[in-house]
Each structure stands twice: as C-alpha cells, then as structure tokens.
Amino acid sequence: MRLTINGEFQEFESVLTVNELLTRIGLDSSKVAVERNLEIVPKSTYGDAALEDGDKLEIVHFIGGGAPKTPCNDPGQDPSLKADCFEVAGEKYWSRLLVGTGKYKDFEETAKAIEASGAEIVTVAVRRVNVSNPKEPMLTDYVDPKTYTYLPNTAGCFSADEAVRTLRLAREAGGWDLVKLEVLGDQKTLYPNMPETLKAAQTLIDEGFKVMVYCADDPIQAKILEEMGCAAIMPLAAPIGSGLGIQNPVGIRIIIEQANIPVLVDAGVGTASDAAIAMELGCDGVLMNTAIAEAKDPIKMARAMKLAVEAGRLAYLAGRMPKKMYADPSSPLAGLI
C-alpha cells in the first residue's frame, strides 16, 4: 500500500487503520489531527478508518490547554488594574498583552520571553508533524498548555479555503474553537485580503468557531466583521513584522469607538511606546511577536511590553489632560513675589 504523508511517498506492506499508522510512525494520536484526501478524520474513528492505496494524508500537531489559573489576579500587576479584566468570547484574562511564539532562537528563549511578558494567550501556528522525527521537541514541552491559552492562527494562508481548512485541523487536534483568523493578500505587504477574510469568517462562525480576526484599519470593514459575529477585531498598526508602530490612529480610534466587541492592535508594533500608544487610544489589547522576538534582548523587551501595555491602559482609564494651543503655568500666579 502506497500513501502520501505530509507530501512524502511511503510504502507499507499491509492495510493499516489511521490509528495503526500513527502507532507505526511513533505519534500520539491524541496530539495530532489527520486529514485524508482533504477530509478530516474524526479522532473517534481512528481505530476503524482503514486506509487505501493512494490515500493522501496530512498529519498536523496542535496541542491545546486549559484556561489560566489566576485570571484577573496577577500579583505583579498594578493594583489599580486588578479588576480591569480583558474579556473575549466569554473568557476573562488580566493580561492585555498577547504574544506570538515564532522567530525566537529556540524554545527555551520563547518560554522565558512569554513568562516575562505576563501574557496569558499565545498564538500558535498549525504545521505538519515531522514524520521522520516524531520525537523532536515541541512548543508544548516548554510553554505549558495548562498555564497558557493556545490560540491557533492561520499565518501563511492566502485564501479563505486554506484558512478554514487549517482551523478545522486545529480544532480536531486540540479541541479549540477560539481562533485567530488571518487571510493575507500578498507576500510583500502581508496586508489582509478582506473579501477572503469575510468569506472565511462567515464559514467559521457558521461552524461554531469564535473568531478573532486580523483585518485592515478600516472602520467599515471592522463593523461588518462585528455584525457577522466575530469575537474580536484586530486591525493592523502597520505591516506585519515592520515595527513601524501605529500608522492610522484616527482609523483605529473610530473602530474602537463604534465597536461592541474587543479591539486589539495586531501587527506592526516595534517598541514599548507603540504598545502604550495603542492602549492610550482605548484598545482592549495588543498582539505582537516580532517586536519581542527580534529585539537584541527579547526577555527585557517582553518585560518592557508588559509594562507599556499596563501603563497605556492606566493612562487611558485616568483620562489625559486636554491639549492646549498655548502654555498654562503649573504654579498659581497669586501671591507671586
């Protein structure tokens, strides 16, 4: 029997079930999802699903986890923010900083940076299992899925069909329905393809997913996504990985003002001041990866981003002073010598 597994041809002497194949390869069936000829194989049928000659299989890994142990009660946080929870899709989190898990030099550095950031939600990509070395270390060996909420995303998808297929596999592998959707328009700008994003979002919502969606900084498109039933709107600050900071504060402010669901700046943050500005605009949170992972010292930058998000949120809640055209003395003039 000849099978194509993750793009590679392999031959087997006898007919196998999906479960027998996974055992032979050395994979834990509880930690992977299997797609057979573009159709997801339910885990409950692994023992009975007999493979046939010529079948094309995709085996991906995605491990989910539990909710944070102490939501809205982090002992290292500013006391005035303890009751100021961030809520998405019915779950509450104290940290308004969400971080990605890519671009670090190794998993050890990833884990240290995430811990320093104080984040509770981490984004993860759905990727093929390395069937030639199924025992190689995985992210979950370093970032405990019982401590952090894993948020599967569709990084690298350029069509609605690719994105939906990826998240269906993610849900089968890890059981998650809270997901981050991004459908990219082109390789150079990585801007969102909004027609394909809307198409994918509608399909996922119809299938019971809770969709946090990467989108253009366009108030009209953002409102359409909210009315469709998305769980959160995530307009870009600047192109992904650019570090340029918020380029359209007016558009993002309007999105925030009209939204009845969380708004998080996603992509383009470069340093702590960018994160603070996003929060001062009234964003519910900030998602970043490159700004931390590609800093000269990712651990220090992660800590800086944590403090910046908290400072920006506190400044927003405090209400800044009005801007004035001319000077206004701080000390009273009465009694001046």
mmCIF file of all heavy atoms in Angstrom, residues 170-196:
data_model
loop_
_atom_site.group_PDB
_atom_site.id
_atom_site.type_symbol
_atom_site.label_atom_id
_atom_site.label_comp_id
_atom_site.label_asym_id
_atom_site.label_seq_id
_atom_site.Cartn_x
_atom_site.Cartn_y
_atom_site.Cartn_z
ATOM 1 N N ALA A 170 -6.924 22.398 13.306
ATOM 2 C CA ALA A 170 -6.528 22.839 14.645
ATOM 3 C C ALA A 170 -7.555 22.419 15.675
ATOM 4 O O ALA A 170 -7.209 21.947 16.759
ATOM 5 C CB ALA A 170 -6.365 24.359 14.663
ATOM 6 N N ARG A 171 -8.830 22.577 15.347
ATOM 7 C CA ARG A 171 -9.872 22.188 16.303
ATOM 8 C C ARG A 171 -9.882 20.682 16.518
ATOM 9 O O ARG A 171 -10.067 20.205 17.639
ATOM 10 C CB ARG A 171 -11.243 22.664 15.819
ATOM 11 C CG ARG A 171 -12.361 22.308 16.796
ATOM 12 C CD ARG A 171 -13.602 23.138 16.618
ATOM 13 N NE ARG A 171 -14.259 22.891 15.338
ATOM 14 C CZ ARG A 171 -15.404 23.499 14.974
ATOM 15 N NH1 ARG A 171 -15.965 24.386 15.789
ATOM 16 N NH2 ARG A 171 -15.954 23.240 13.816
ATOM 17 N N GLU A 172 -9.656 19.925 15.452
ATOM 18 C CA GLU A 172 -9.619 18.472 15.588
ATOM 19 C C GLU A 172 -8.442 18.028 16.449
ATOM 20 O O GLU A 172 -8.552 17.115 17.257
ATOM 21 C CB GLU A 172 -9.540 17.824 14.209
ATOM 22 C CG GLU A 172 -9.556 16.305 14.236
ATOM 23 C CD GLU A 172 -10.857 15.721 14.770
ATOM 24 O OE1 GLU A 172 -11.904 16.409 14.662
ATOM 25 O OE2 GLU A 172 -10.835 14.597 15.298
ATOM 26 N N ALA A 173 -7.291 18.720 16.294
ATOM 27 C CA ALA A 173 -6.098 18.343 17.040
ATOM 28 C C ALA A 173 -6.168 18.740 18.504
ATOM 29 O O ALA A 173 -5.778 17.982 19.386
ATOM 30 C CB ALA A 173 -4.867 18.964 16.397
ATOM 31 N N GLY A 174 -6.648 19.951 18.769
ATOM 32 C CA GLY A 174 -6.599 20.454 20.133
ATOM 33 C C GLY A 174 -7.929 20.748 20.780
ATOM 34 O O GLY A 174 -7.985 21.051 21.970
ATOM 35 N N GLY A 175 -8.998 20.708 20.010
ATOM 36 C CA GLY A 175 -10.320 20.929 20.587
ATOM 37 C C GLY A 175 -10.694 22.385 20.756
ATOM 38 O O GLY A 175 -11.711 22.700 21.370
ATOM 39 N N TRP A 176 -9.892 23.296 20.196
ATOM 40 C CA TRP A 176 -10.141 24.712 20.390
ATOM 41 C C TRP A 176 -11.154 25.258 19.409
ATOM 42 O O TRP A 176 -11.158 24.902 18.236
ATOM 43 C CB TRP A 176 -8.842 25.503 20.249
ATOM 44 C CG TRP A 176 -7.930 25.275 21.415
ATOM 45 C CD1 TRP A 176 -6.904 24.389 21.501
ATOM 46 C CD2 TRP A 176 -8.000 25.930 22.674
ATOM 47 N NE1 TRP A 176 -6.323 24.467 22.734
ATOM 48 C CE2 TRP A 176 -6.977 25.400 23.481
ATOM 49 C CE3 TRP A 176 -8.833 26.921 23.204
ATOM 50 C CZ2 TRP A 176 -6.751 25.826 24.783
ATOM 51 C CZ3 TRP A 176 -8.600 27.345 24.496
ATOM 52 C CH2 TRP A 176 -7.579 26.805 25.276
ATOM 53 N N ASP A 177 -11.991 26.168 19.898
ATOM 54 C CA ASP A 177 -12.875 26.892 18.983
ATOM 55 C C ASP A 177 -12.579 28.391 18.975
ATOM 56 O O ASP A 177 -13.076 29.108 18.114
ATOM 57 C CB ASP A 177 -14.352 26.640 19.299
ATOM 58 C CG ASP A 177 -14.712 26.985 20.739
ATOM 59 O OD1 ASP A 177 -13.869 27.569 21.446
ATOM 60 O OD2 ASP A 177 -15.842 26.675 21.158
ATOM 61 N N LEU A 178 -11.768 28.878 19.931
ATOM 62 C CA LEU A 178 -11.306 30.268 19.884
ATOM 63 C C LEU A 178 -10.071 30.308 19.002
ATOM 64 O O LEU A 178 -9.058 29.662 19.293
ATOM 65 C CB LEU A 178 -10.970 30.778 21.281
ATOM 66 C CG LEU A 178 -10.448 32.222 21.351
ATOM 67 C CD1 LEU A 178 -11.510 33.209 20.878
ATOM 68 C CD2 LEU A 178 -10.002 32.574 22.772
ATOM 69 N N VAL A 179 -10.158 31.049 17.892
ATOM 70 C CA VAL A 179 -9.083 31.031 16.904
ATOM 71 C C VAL A 179 -8.796 32.442 16.407
ATOM 72 O O VAL A 179 -9.621 33.342 16.540
ATOM 73 C CB VAL A 179 -9.454 30.138 15.699
ATOM 74 C CG1 VAL A 179 -9.627 28.693 16.124
ATOM 75 C CG2 VAL A 179 -10.725 30.650 15.012
ATOM 76 N N LYS A 180 -7.597 32.596 15.822
ATOM 77 C CA LYS A 180 -7.252 33.857 15.184
ATOM 78 C C LYS A 180 -7.204 33.639 13.674
ATOM 79 O O LYS A 180 -6.423 32.820 13.181
ATOM 80 C CB LYS A 180 -5.914 34.388 15.673
ATOM 81 C CG LYS A 180 -5.576 35.747 15.055
ATOM 82 C CD LYS A 180 -4.108 36.064 15.142
ATOM 83 C CE LYS A 180 -3.791 37.239 14.214
ATOM 84 N NZ LYS A 180 -2.344 37.463 14.087
ATOM 85 N N LEU A 181 -8.041 34.376 12.966
ATOM 86 C CA LEU A 181 -8.114 34.271 11.516
ATOM 87 C C LEU A 181 -7.313 35.381 10.859
ATOM 88 O O LEU A 181 -7.476 36.558 11.197
ATOM 89 C CB LEU A 181 -9.577 34.361 11.068
ATOM 90 C CG LEU A 181 -9.823 34.504 9.563
ATOM 91 C CD1 LEU A 181 -9.390 33.246 8.819
ATOM 92 C CD2 LEU A 181 -11.299 34.823 9.296
ATOM 93 N N GLU A 182 -6.435 35.000 9.941
ATOM 94 C CA GLU A 182 -5.804 35.996 9.074
ATOM 95 C C GLU A 182 -5.682 35.395 7.679
ATOM 96 O O GLU A 182 -5.211 34.273 7.514
ATOM 97 C CB GLU A 182 -4.443 36.453 9.599
ATOM 98 C CG GLU A 182 -3.386 35.380 9.781
ATOM 99 C CD GLU A 182 -2.077 35.940 10.326
ATOM 100 O OE1 GLU A 182 -2.027 36.292 11.511
ATOM 101 O OE2 GLU A 182 -1.104 36.014 9.549
ATOM 102 N N VAL A 183 -6.175 36.130 6.697
ATOM 103 C CA VAL A 183 -6.044 35.732 5.297
ATOM 104 C C VAL A 183 -5.272 36.843 4.597
ATOM 105 O O VAL A 183 -5.751 37.982 4.526
ATOM 106 C CB VAL A 183 -7.408 35.516 4.625
ATOM 107 C CG1 VAL A 183 -7.202 35.003 3.197
ATOM 108 C CG2 VAL A 183 -8.265 34.538 5.415
ATOM 109 N N LEU A 184 -4.087 36.524 4.114
ATOM 110 C CA LEU A 184 -3.188 37.530 3.582
ATOM 111 C C LEU A 184 -3.420 37.764 2.093
ATOM 112 O O LEU A 184 -3.831 36.864 1.363
ATOM 113 C CB LEU A 184 -1.738 37.104 3.827
ATOM 114 C CG LEU A 184 -1.402 36.783 5.294
ATOM 115 C CD1 LEU A 184 0.011 36.257 5.407
ATOM 116 C CD2 LEU A 184 -1.594 38.012 6.169
ATOM 117 N N GLY A 185 -3.115 39.008 1.671
ATOM 118 C CA GLY A 185 -3.353 39.367 0.282
ATOM 119 C C GLY A 185 -2.175 39.100 -0.634
ATOM 120 O O GLY A 185 -2.355 38.693 -1.780
ATOM 121 N N ASP A 186 -0.957 39.344 -0.147
ATOM 122 C CA ASP A 186 0.227 39.107 -0.964
ATOM 123 C C ASP A 186 1.439 38.959 -0.055
ATOM 124 O O ASP A 186 1.419 39.360 1.106
ATOM 125 C CB ASP A 186 0.452 40.242 -1.969
ATOM 126 C CG ASP A 186 0.701 41.571 -1.282
ATOM 127 O OD1 ASP A 186 1.836 41.808 -0.842
ATOM 128 O OD2 ASP A 186 -0.245 42.373 -1.180
ATOM 129 N N GLN A 187 2.489 38.368 -0.614
ATOM 130 C CA GLN A 187 3.678 38.052 0.167
ATOM 131 C C GLN A 187 4.471 39.288 0.565
ATOM 132 O O GLN A 187 5.115 39.312 1.617
ATOM 133 C CB GLN A 187 4.578 37.121 -0.655
ATOM 134 C CG GLN A 187 5.701 36.489 0.127
ATOM 135 C CD GLN A 187 5.207 35.495 1.156
ATOM 136 O OE1 GLN A 187 5.359 35.712 2.363
ATOM 137 N NE2 GLN A 187 4.610 34.409 0.699
ATOM 138 N N LYS A 188 4.422 40.344 -0.248
ATOM 139 C CA LYS A 188 5.242 41.526 0.011
ATOM 140 C C LYS A 188 4.714 42.354 1.176
ATOM 141 O O LYS A 188 5.484 42.753 2.062
ATOM 142 C CB LYS A 188 5.317 42.395 -1.247
ATOM 143 C CG LYS A 188 6.196 43.628 -1.082
ATOM 144 C CD LYS A 188 6.297 44.424 -2.374
ATOM 145 C CE LYS A 188 7.202 45.639 -2.202
ATOM 146 N NZ LYS A 188 7.323 46.431 -3.455
ATOM 147 N N THR A 189 3.420 42.646 1.203
ATOM 148 C CA THR A 189 2.871 43.524 2.240
ATOM 149 C C THR A 189 2.255 42.767 3.402
ATOM 150 O O THR A 189 2.155 43.291 4.505
ATOM 151 C CB THR A 189 1.787 44.443 1.648
ATOM 152 O OG1 THR A 189 0.638 43.653 1.279
ATOM 153 C CG2 THR A 189 2.301 45.192 0.435
ATOM 154 N N LEU A 190 1.819 41.524 3.168
ATOM 155 C CA LEU A 190 1.106 40.729 4.172
ATOM 156 C C LEU A 190 -0.133 41.459 4.705
ATOM 157 O O LEU A 190 -0.572 41.215 5.831
ATOM 158 C CB LEU A 190 2.035 40.331 5.325
ATOM 159 C CG LEU A 190 3.251 39.488 4.941
ATOM 160 C CD1 LEU A 190 4.050 39.124 6.183
ATOM 161 C CD2 LEU A 190 2.858 38.240 4.176
ATOM 162 N N TYR A 191 -0.679 42.351 3.885
ATOM 163 C CA TYR A 191 -1.923 43.014 4.256
ATOM 164 C C TYR A 191 -3.073 42.005 4.174
ATOM 165 O O TYR A 191 -3.016 41.055 3.391
ATOM 166 C CB TYR A 191 -2.203 44.190 3.305
ATOM 167 C CG TYR A 191 -1.763 45.527 3.846
ATOM 168 C CD1 TYR A 191 -0.417 45.764 4.111
ATOM 169 C CD2 TYR A 191 -2.672 46.537 4.086
ATOM 170 C CE1 TYR A 191 0.000 46.992 4.606
ATOM 171 C CE2 TYR A 191 -2.257 47.769 4.578
ATOM 172 C CZ TYR A 191 -0.928 47.990 4.839
ATOM 173 O OH TYR A 191 -0.514 49.196 5.325
ATOM 174 N N PRO A 192 -4.116 42.213 4.944
ATOM 175 C CA PRO A 192 -5.240 41.286 4.897
ATOM 176 C C PRO A 192 -6.013 41.398 3.588
ATOM 177 O O PRO A 192 -6.245 42.496 3.078
ATOM 178 C CB PRO A 192 -6.107 41.716 6.084
ATOM 179 C CG PRO A 192 -5.743 43.140 6.331
ATOM 180 C CD PRO A 192 -4.295 43.268 5.961
ATOM 181 N N ASN A 193 -6.393 40.248 3.052
ATOM 182 C CA ASN A 193 -7.294 40.194 1.906
ATOM 183 C C ASN A 193 -8.705 40.198 2.485
ATOM 184 O O ASN A 193 -9.200 39.170 2.951
ATOM 185 C CB ASN A 193 -7.041 38.920 1.099
ATOM 186 C CG ASN A 193 -7.937 38.798 -0.121
ATOM 187 O OD1 ASN A 193 -9.094 39.223 -0.106
ATOM 188 N ND2 ASN A 193 -7.415 38.196 -1.177
ATOM 189 N N MET A 194 -9.346 41.354 2.491
ATOM 190 C CA MET A 194 -10.612 41.488 3.210
ATOM 191 C C MET A 194 -11.764 40.673 2.595
ATOM 192 O O MET A 194 -12.547 40.077 3.339
ATOM 193 C CB MET A 194 -10.991 42.957 3.360
ATOM 194 C CG MET A 194 -10.079 43.716 4.328
ATOM 195 S SD MET A 194 -9.844 42.882 5.926
ATOM 196 C CE MET A 194 -11.532 42.815 6.528
ATOM 197 N N PRO A 195 -11.927 40.600 1.267
ATOM 198 C CA PRO A 195 -13.003 39.744 0.732
ATOM 199 C C PRO A 195 -12.854 38.284 1.167
ATOM 200 O O PRO A 195 -13.838 37.649 1.572
ATOM 201 C CB PRO A 195 -12.860 39.906 -0.788
ATOM 202 C CG PRO A 195 -12.265 41.258 -0.958
ATOM 203 C CD PRO A 195 -11.303 41.406 0.193
ATOM 204 N N GLU A 196 -11.608 37.758 1.117
ATOM 205 C CA GLU A 196 -11.380 36.382 1.543
ATOM 206 C C GLU A 196 -11.517 36.242 3.059
ATOM 207 O O GLU A 196 -11.979 35.212 3.572
ATOM 208 C CB GLU A 196 -9.995 35.917 1.093
ATOM 209 C CG GLU A 196 -9.865 35.700 -0.402
ATOM 210 C CD GLU A 196 -10.696 34.518 -0.884
ATOM 211 O OE1 GLU A 196 -10.349 33.361 -0.559
ATOM 212 O OE2 GLU A 196 -11.706 34.756 -1.591
#
